[in-house]
Amino acid sequence: MGNQQGVSAYNTWDINAYSQLTGLSPDQIQQLYTTFQQQAAVTGGRMTINQFKSVYASVVGVTWNFDTEAERIFLMFDTNNTGTLSFEEFLLAYFLLQRSINPAQRWSYAVNSYSLNQPGYLSAQEAQLVLNNMQQFYNFPAQESYFNTAWSQLGGNVNGSVPASSFVQTLVPLIPEAQIW
């Protein structure tokens, strides 16, 4: 997330890998990639906020006024503050916005895209970052109890870390469903 690389040609393995990671079909990944390429071709292989809004306005299932949330969400995924998204950032944003996929699956995928000190595990600081990103994304009030409860239920290991997927699976049910759709 957040690197400066342009869009490269994705092969069948990449499409299948993204499909396996996200749970979206290879055809859906290919369609997203094609849409991204069409939009980003004008801007050097990266998507601007207006292109992002255009693509999301056409996503089936968007039932809220996306334009009011688009900038906040776009900026969350523009991690290097370039004003553009790579395909990987775009795919992550798309996946997290899919209300038909349960939040634990969405956030497990998101955590896998993080640059972690120990792949597959979260330190307390990284776990807090996951929660902070959830709060920013869903725009719900900060509650230290969510983190404290999840962290204590899992108990940090000797290195002070917990399995990333376990943290997400423990954290998501603590947050009221109305806040985390």
Side-chain angles (χ1 to χ4, degrees):
M1 239 169 80
N3 60 27
Q4 293 274 10
Q5 297 175 351
V7 177
S8 59
Y10 286 83
N11 61 32
T12 303
W13 182 89
D14 294 316
I15 292 169
N16 289 333
Y18 278 127
S19 175
Q20 201 169 35
L21 285 171
T22 63
L24 300 172
S25 74
D27 288 340
Q28 288 172 302
I29 300 292
Q30 182 62 53
Q31 183 179 16
L32 285 171
Y33 181 65
T34 300
T35 300
F36 179 86
Q37 282 184 307
Q38 290 167 347
Q39 292 287 326
V42 179
T43 54
R46 296 185 63 88
M47 185 175 277
T48 66
I49 191 165
N50 288 332
Q51 293 164 328
F52 179 76
K53 287 179 184 180
S54 173
V55 169
Y56 275 92
S58 66
V59 172
V60 176
V62 173
T63 58
W64 73 102
N65 183 353
F66 182 79
D67 197 51
T68 60
E69 295 290 310
E71 187 169 338
R72 181 181 64 81
I73 291 170
F74 179 89
L75 293 173
M76 182 179 168
F77 293 99
D78 179 18
T79 57
N80 58 0
N81 300 315
T82 62
T84 60
L85 298 180
S86 68
F87 178 68
E88 291 78 10
E89 291 166 329
F90 168 77
L91 184 60
L92 180 57
Y94 179 88
F95 191 69
L96 286 175
L97 288 166
Q98 298 308 297
R99 293 175 184 238
S100 62
I101 300 170
N102 81 51
Q105 184 181 355
R106 285 183 271 160
W107 282 93
S108 291
Y109 171 69
V111 168
N112 285 331
S113 71
Y114 287 24
S115 177
L116 302 174
N117 290 331
Q118 185 181 2
Y121 291 85
L122 296 172
S123 66
Q125 183 178 11
E126 291 166 333
Q128 186 67 56
L129 176 65
V130 170
L131 176 58
N132 292 346
N133 285 342
M134 287 175 137
Q135 288 171 320
Q136 181 183 2
F137 184 78
Y138 294 112
N139 206 22
F140 64 82
Q143 296 249 353
E144 191 64 30
S145 64
Y146 297 150
F147 173 79
N148 291 336
T149 301
W151 192 257
S152 67
Q153 282 182 10
L154 294 172
N157 66 18
V158 177
N159 298 327
S161 60
V162 297
S165 60
S166 296
F167 180 76
V168 171
Q169 295 294 329
T170 303
L171 178 64
V172 168
L174 298 174
I175 301 167
E177 191 175 329
Q179 294 178 333
I180 197 167
W181 48 266

